[in-house]
Amino acid sequence: MSEPLPPSYPAPQHPAPKSEWKPLSGLAVTAFVLSLVLILIALPGLWIVQLVPLLLGIATLVMVKPGQRRGRILAVWAIVISLAIGSCSFTMHQGMRGVLSGTNESILSVLSSKISDEEKAKSLRSWVWPKALEQDEKLPATWMQRYAGVVAEFGPWRESFELPSIVYGSTPLLIAPEGLVEIGSDGEKPPSWTMGSTIWTPAVFEKGIVHVAIVLQEGDQKGVEALGTLRPGEETAVVGDVRFFRAKAP
């Protein structure tokens, strides 16, 4: 026969540890979600929008004490993402603004220089798109003639620009301003060049602002692609035309 089993005793009862449920901070969630969503707006140029999740993340860390609510880690990530994306976008567009305005400055410097027309034409040829030069060998002379008309109406270029605020990145330099007419024409509006294929720079002349349009290649999608070949301080043969515009008179 088998030995009898030892008597069983009920297991001691211990109270379950009390776990206090902590709500998730809505401010932290908002900051984190915005830091991700606003990437789509910050990278094209409006980098300043990343200040919103940055400030919300900081506010979360200040207002929500440890152990009070959950979500502080989301606030930390919101701060990291907004700082990284915002600073990256700012640096990228600041550099792009330098390239775009530098291109216009180089061409205007040649046009406004005191050297002979032959030397000007030679310097301008280093910027001219080869295909445009094949179609019109006198294109540099045409640009000089247009510039002379601008000087006759607005006086000399003061060697400065009135650039849009860096808050908007470099994008405004690639969008045609509203209400412009071409100087020396019968109220001609700017052609419908593809956005990103023309550099628009408001140059300060003696008697007012002149919007200089540097058209890359034919101002189409190929011109947009040519934009990426521009380098600071380098002459790049991608310019298909140079035009000058003023604000339409009221």
Side-chain angles (χ1 to χ4, degrees):
M1 296 180 61
S2 60
E3 296 182 2
L5 295 174
S8 59
Y9 300 96
Q13 301 295 319
H14 298 286
K18 295 182 178 180
S19 59
E20 183 182 352
W21 182 83
K22 300 181 183 65
L24 183 62
S25 170
L27 198 59
V29 173
T30 302
F32 180 70
V33 171
L34 281 179
S35 68
L36 296 176
V37 172
L38 293 179
I39 291 176
L40 300 175
I41 300 176
L43 288 182
L46 206 60
W47 57 271
I48 199 169
V49 297
Q50 284 291 349
L51 286 178
V52 176
L54 173 64
L55 295 176
L56 290 178
I58 294 174
T60 301
L61 296 182
V62 172
M63 298 169 60
V64 180
K65 304 303 179 185
Q68 182 181 0
R69 284 177 179 267
R70 294 176 296 137
R72 286 175 60 86
I73 188 63
L74 293 179
V76 172
W77 273 110
I79 293 173
V80 171
I81 293 172
S82 58
L83 282 175
I85 298 299
S87 59
C88 177
S89 177
F90 175 84
T91 303
M92 179 177 66
H93 284 277
Q94 181 75 327
M96 190 64 178
R97 277 164 57 95
V99 172
L100 298 178
S101 61
T103 299
N104 282 28
E105 183 177 9
S106 297
I107 293 175
L108 276 181
S109 295
V110 174
L111 291 171
S112 62
S113 63
K114 303 300 182 182
I115 59 178
S116 65
D117 288 349
E118 290 77 12
E119 290 176 304
K120 286 183 183 180
K122 183 179 179 180
S123 296
L124 290 172
R125 280 176 179 269
S126 60
W127 286 99
V128 182
W129 183 39
K131 186 176 179 180
L133 202 56
E134 290 175 7
Q135 296 172 351
D136 183 3
E137 292 184 358
K138 298 181 179 179
L139 193 57
T142 300
W143 297 351
M144 289 188 287
Q145 185 179 0
R146 289 173 183 168
Y147 180 78
V150 173
V151 172
E153 185 174 347
F154 286 87
W157 176 46
R158 291 190 175 275
E159 300 185 3
S160 63
F161 297 103
E162 196 172 276
L163 298 179
S165 172
I166 183 58
V167 167
Y168 305 104
S170 61
T171 305
L173 296 179
L174 299 173
I175 301 175
E178 295 290 336
L180 296 184
V181 294
E182 188 164 7
I183 297 173
S185 69
D186 297 328
E188 244 183 81
K189 296 180 180 179
S192 54
W193 294 305
T194 302
M195 178 182 165
S197 68
T198 305
I199 306 171
W200 292 90
T201 310
V204 180
F205 281 70
E206 186 178 72
K207 298 179 182 178
I209 299 297
V210 174
H211 295 266
V212 184
I214 303 295
V215 185
L216 304 182
Q217 295 193 9
E218 295 180 341
D220 54 7
Q221 186 57 39
K222 292 291 185 180
V224 178
E225 297 170 8
L227 184 69
T229 65
L230 295 175
R231 296 291 181 271
E234 295 182 12
E235 298 172 347
T236 311
V238 293
V239 180
D241 206 358
V242 178
R243 310 272 284 271
F244 301 91
F245 297 84
R246 60 171 174 78
K248 186 184 297 184

